[in-house]
């Protein structure tokens, strides 16, 4: 459905996107996750034909966006970071204007009514856009993207600036569009991608640092491989028992809330659930467990470790390049 190959974008001397490739299948909801300045908007703008790339290729349904922009753009509904709304128009006037602009052939009345129903803006159709709340403006922006029923929807930070209730509403709306549409959305909010997307592409400094099914990332997130355990007994004896337990890769003290018990972090190799053997061992050794919690990694840990790994690789490469330069220079 969407095919991006070796995309590179320079703004003058700034390299905003550095050799990005990925594919997105029909009906998938994919989240672009990354800090501000990562290059999310740049990739989306290129994909929509709004910006040209320095090199590489972007195809929608086999149609190259640079070679055949009109055909490619017909397949896309786009909600840019700042929705292109006309505040002086009513919602109705605006939707009709976009309908004409896009040269849609679907039956106008039914089509616009359906879109207003889906985005829940039917009751504000006669209001001036200027007077709508931010949440409603955003829904009008999404409605605009849906006009013409394009198979691909691209939403750049669709929940920015909304209040918590509006965020949930917009997320649910986007979720309901999956299946019938292929959706790409960008966000810098970690739980957002987890709540909405089938797959997560993490971007940092213009490169992809992770591209995984949300379940895979969530598995790491809810994994029982990291436990926080509160145990009574001598620190030395408990630690040595913990370290001797099959599957434990790390055990250390993290806190001492009261005189009687000590809190430990215990990590196992992936896939091993330590909770029962840990209970049995501590019971046998007469060290009462008075609290146990599976911490797992949180999404933030996953994100940070993906970004760190990439930066580590990058700086290693840089060091290598520098050494090579020196060597070459010395000759
Ligand atoms: P994101 O959407 O992930 O926050 P952007 O794609 O907007 O990131 O920006 C990526 C990088 O490119 C940033 O360093 C940003 O400052 C730079 N950039 C974006 N647009 C322009 C532009 N029009 N001119 C120069 N630099 C730009
Ligand atoms: Mg952006």
């Amino acid at each position: 459905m969407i095919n991006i190959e070796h995309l590179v974008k320079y703004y003058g001397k700034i390299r905003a996107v550095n050799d990005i490739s990925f594919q997105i299948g029909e009906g998938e909801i994919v989240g672009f996750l990354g800090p501000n300045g990562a290059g999310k908007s740049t990739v989306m703008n290129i994909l929509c034909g709004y910006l040209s790339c320095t090199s590489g290729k972007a195809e929608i349904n086999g149609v190259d966006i640079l070679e055949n922009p009109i055909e490619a753009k017909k397949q896309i509904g786009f909600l840019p970071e700042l929705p292109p709304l006309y505040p002086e128009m009513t919602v109705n006037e605006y939707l009709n204007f976009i309908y004409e602009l896009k040269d849609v052939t679907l039956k106008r009345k039914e089509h616009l009514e359906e879109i207003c129903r889906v985005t829940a803006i039917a009751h504000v159709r006669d209001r001036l856009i200027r007077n709508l709340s931010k949440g409603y403006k955003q829904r009008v922006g999404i409605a605009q993207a849906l006009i013409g029923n394009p198979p691909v929807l691209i939403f750049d930070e669709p929940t920015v600036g909304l209040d918590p209730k509006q965020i949930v509403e917009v997320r649910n709306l986007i979720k309901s569009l999956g299946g019938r549409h292929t959706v790409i959305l960008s966000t810098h909010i970690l739980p957002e991608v987890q709540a909405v997307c089938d797959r997560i592409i993490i971007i940092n400094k213009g490169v992809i640092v992770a591209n995984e099914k949300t379940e895979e990332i969530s598995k790491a997130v809810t994994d029982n491989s990291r436990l926080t355990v509160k145990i009574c007994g001598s620190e030395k004896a408990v630690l040595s028992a913990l370290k001797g337990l099959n599957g434990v890769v790390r055990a250390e003290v993290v806190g001492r809330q009261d005189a009687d018990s000590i809190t430990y972090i215990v990590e196992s190799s992936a896939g091993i659930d330590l909770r029962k053997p840990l209970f049995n061992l501590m019971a046998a050794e007469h060290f009462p467990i008075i609290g146990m919690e599976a911490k797992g990694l949180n999404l933030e840990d996953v994100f940070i470790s993906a970004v760190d790994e990439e930066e580590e690789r990058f700086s290693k490469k840089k060091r290598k390049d520098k050494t090579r330069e020196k060597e070459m220079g010395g000759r």
Side-chain angles (χ1 to χ4, degrees), residues 8-10 45-46 49-54 66:
V8 175
K9 175 70 184 178
Y10 277 86
N45 287 335
I46 292 170
Y50 179 70
L51 268 182
S52 65
C53 53
T54 308
L66 281 179

PDB file of all heavy atoms in Angstrom, residues 8-10 45-46 49-54 66:
ATOM      1  N   VAL A   8      15.603  10.479   1.710  1.00  0.00           N
ATOM      2  CA  VAL A   8      16.538  11.444   2.295  1.00  0.00           C
ATOM      3  C   VAL A   8      15.994  12.840   2.029  1.00  0.00           C
ATOM      4  O   VAL A   8      15.483  13.121   0.952  1.00  0.00           O
ATOM      5  CB  VAL A   8      17.940  11.320   1.640  1.00  0.00           C
ATOM      6  CG1 VAL A   8      18.884  12.394   2.164  1.00  0.00           C
ATOM      7  CG2 VAL A   8      18.534   9.931   1.892  1.00  0.00           C
ATOM      8  N   LYS A   9      16.040  13.688   3.050  1.00  0.00           N
ATOM      9  CA  LYS A   9      15.609  15.076   2.856  1.00  0.00           C
ATOM     10  C   LYS A   9      16.564  16.043   3.544  1.00  0.00           C
ATOM     11  O   LYS A   9      16.819  15.934   4.740  1.00  0.00           O
ATOM     12  CB  LYS A   9      14.189  15.272   3.415  1.00  0.00           C
ATOM     13  CG  LYS A   9      13.702  16.702   3.380  1.00  0.00           C
ATOM     14  CD  LYS A   9      13.428  17.187   1.970  1.00  0.00           C
ATOM     15  CE  LYS A   9      13.045  18.632   1.931  1.00  0.00           C
ATOM     16  NZ  LYS A   9      12.817  19.096   0.551  1.00  0.00           N
ATOM     17  N   TYR A  10      17.108  16.931   2.757  1.00  0.00           N
ATOM     18  CA  TYR A  10      17.924  18.012   3.302  1.00  0.00           C
ATOM     19  C   TYR A  10      17.122  19.301   3.220  1.00  0.00           C
ATOM     20  O   TYR A  10      16.476  19.573   2.209  1.00  0.00           O
ATOM     21  CB  TYR A  10      19.185  18.201   2.458  1.00  0.00           C
ATOM     22  CG  TYR A  10      20.318  17.254   2.785  1.00  0.00           C
ATOM     23  CD1 TYR A  10      20.381  15.991   2.196  1.00  0.00           C
ATOM     24  CD2 TYR A  10      21.325  17.634   3.663  1.00  0.00           C
ATOM     25  CE1 TYR A  10      21.427  15.121   2.491  1.00  0.00           C
ATOM     26  CE2 TYR A  10      22.371  16.778   3.960  1.00  0.00           C
ATOM     27  CZ  TYR A  10      22.420  15.526   3.375  1.00  0.00           C
ATOM     28  OH  TYR A  10      23.448  14.681   3.667  1.00  0.00           O
ATOM     29  N   ASN A  45       4.983  14.907   5.040  1.00  0.00           N
ATOM     30  CA  ASN A  45       4.802  15.907   3.983  1.00  0.00           C
ATOM     31  C   ASN A  45       5.319  15.398   2.633  1.00  0.00           C
ATOM     32  O   ASN A  45       4.739  15.704   1.589  1.00  0.00           O
ATOM     33  CB  ASN A  45       5.497  17.208   4.357  1.00  0.00           C
ATOM     34  CG  ASN A  45       4.750  17.964   5.453  1.00  0.00           C
ATOM     35  OD1 ASN A  45       3.543  17.791   5.608  1.00  0.00           O
ATOM     36  ND2 ASN A  45       5.447  18.762   6.210  1.00  0.00           N
ATOM     37  N   ILE A  46       6.369  14.611   2.660  1.00  0.00           N
ATOM     38  CA  ILE A  46       6.892  14.037   1.416  1.00  0.00           C
ATOM     39  C   ILE A  46       5.899  13.006   0.873  1.00  0.00           C
ATOM     40  O   ILE A  46       5.573  12.983  -0.308  1.00  0.00           O
ATOM     41  CB  ILE A  46       8.278  13.381   1.635  1.00  0.00           C
ATOM     42  CG1 ILE A  46       9.315  14.469   1.948  1.00  0.00           C
ATOM     43  CG2 ILE A  46       8.706  12.578   0.409  1.00  0.00           C
ATOM     44  CD1 ILE A  46      10.659  13.939   2.404  1.00  0.00           C
ATOM     45  N   GLY A  49       3.146  14.471  -0.939  1.00  0.00           N
ATOM     46  CA  GLY A  49       3.478  15.259  -2.116  1.00  0.00           C
ATOM     47  C   GLY A  49       3.541  16.745  -1.831  1.00  0.00           C
ATOM     48  O   GLY A  49       3.559  17.572  -2.738  1.00  0.00           O
ATOM     49  N   TYR A  50       3.580  17.096  -0.556  1.00  0.00           N
ATOM     50  CA  TYR A  50       3.587  18.496  -0.176  1.00  0.00           C
ATOM     51  C   TYR A  50       5.012  19.047  -0.195  1.00  0.00           C
ATOM     52  O   TYR A  50       5.248  20.221  -0.390  1.00  0.00           O
ATOM     53  CB  TYR A  50       2.959  18.602   1.225  1.00  0.00           C
ATOM     54  CG  TYR A  50       2.899  19.971   1.811  1.00  0.00           C
ATOM     55  CD1 TYR A  50       2.037  20.923   1.276  1.00  0.00           C
ATOM     56  CD2 TYR A  50       3.679  20.312   2.909  1.00  0.00           C
ATOM     57  CE1 TYR A  50       1.986  22.189   1.818  1.00  0.00           C
ATOM     58  CE2 TYR A  50       3.629  21.566   3.459  1.00  0.00           C
ATOM     59  CZ  TYR A  50       2.783  22.502   2.907  1.00  0.00           C
ATOM     60  OH  TYR A  50       2.737  23.747   3.456  1.00  0.00           O
ATOM     61  N   LEU A  51       5.962  18.130   0.000  1.00  0.00           N
ATOM     62  CA  LEU A  51       7.388  18.479  -0.063  1.00  0.00           C
ATOM     63  C   LEU A  51       8.038  17.502  -1.027  1.00  0.00           C
ATOM     64  O   LEU A  51       7.593  16.370  -1.147  1.00  0.00           O
ATOM     65  CB  LEU A  51       8.034  18.220   1.294  1.00  0.00           C
ATOM     66  CG  LEU A  51       8.140  19.289   2.345  1.00  0.00           C
ATOM     67  CD1 LEU A  51       8.875  18.717   3.555  1.00  0.00           C
ATOM     68  CD2 LEU A  51       8.862  20.505   1.822  1.00  0.00           C
ATOM     69  N   SER A  52       9.121  17.911  -1.670  1.00  0.00           N
ATOM     70  CA  SER A  52       9.854  16.930  -2.476  1.00  0.00           C
ATOM     71  C   SER A  52      10.991  16.380  -1.628  1.00  0.00           C
ATOM     72  O   SER A  52      11.419  17.007  -0.667  1.00  0.00           O
ATOM     73  CB  SER A  52      10.404  17.594  -3.727  1.00  0.00           C
ATOM     74  OG  SER A  52      11.350  18.550  -3.347  1.00  0.00           O
ATOM     75  N   CYS A  53      11.465  15.178  -1.984  1.00  0.00           N
ATOM     76  CA  CYS A  53      12.567  14.619  -1.211  1.00  0.00           C
ATOM     77  C   CYS A  53      13.874  14.900  -1.950  1.00  0.00           C
ATOM     78  O   CYS A  53      13.874  15.194  -3.143  1.00  0.00           O
ATOM     79  CB  CYS A  53      12.372  13.133  -0.978  1.00  0.00           C
ATOM     80  SG  CYS A  53      12.070  12.178  -2.456  1.00  0.00           S
ATOM     81  N   THR A  54      14.978  14.833  -1.230  1.00  0.00           N
ATOM     82  CA  THR A  54      16.280  15.040  -1.855  1.00  0.00           C
ATOM     83  C   THR A  54      16.636  13.804  -2.685  1.00  0.00           C
ATOM     84  O   THR A  54      17.101  13.907  -3.813  1.00  0.00           O
ATOM     85  CB  THR A  54      17.347  15.298  -0.773  1.00  0.00           C
ATOM     86  OG1 THR A  54      16.875  16.349   0.068  1.00  0.00           O
ATOM     87  CG2 THR A  54      18.680  15.679  -1.388  1.00  0.00           C
ATOM     88  N   LEU A  66       6.216  11.477  -6.849  1.00  0.00           N
ATOM     89  CA  LEU A  66       6.910  12.506  -7.625  1.00  0.00           C
ATOM     90  C   LEU A  66       6.602  12.381  -9.113  1.00  0.00           C
ATOM     91  O   LEU A  66       6.437  13.386  -9.812  1.00  0.00           O
ATOM     92  CB  LEU A  66       8.424  12.407  -7.420  1.00  0.00           C
ATOM     93  CG  LEU A  66       8.950  13.014  -6.132  1.00  0.00           C
ATOM     94  CD1 LEU A  66      10.449  12.838  -6.028  1.00  0.00           C
ATOM     95  CD2 LEU A  66       8.569  14.492  -6.007  1.00  0.00           C
TER      96      LEU A  66
END
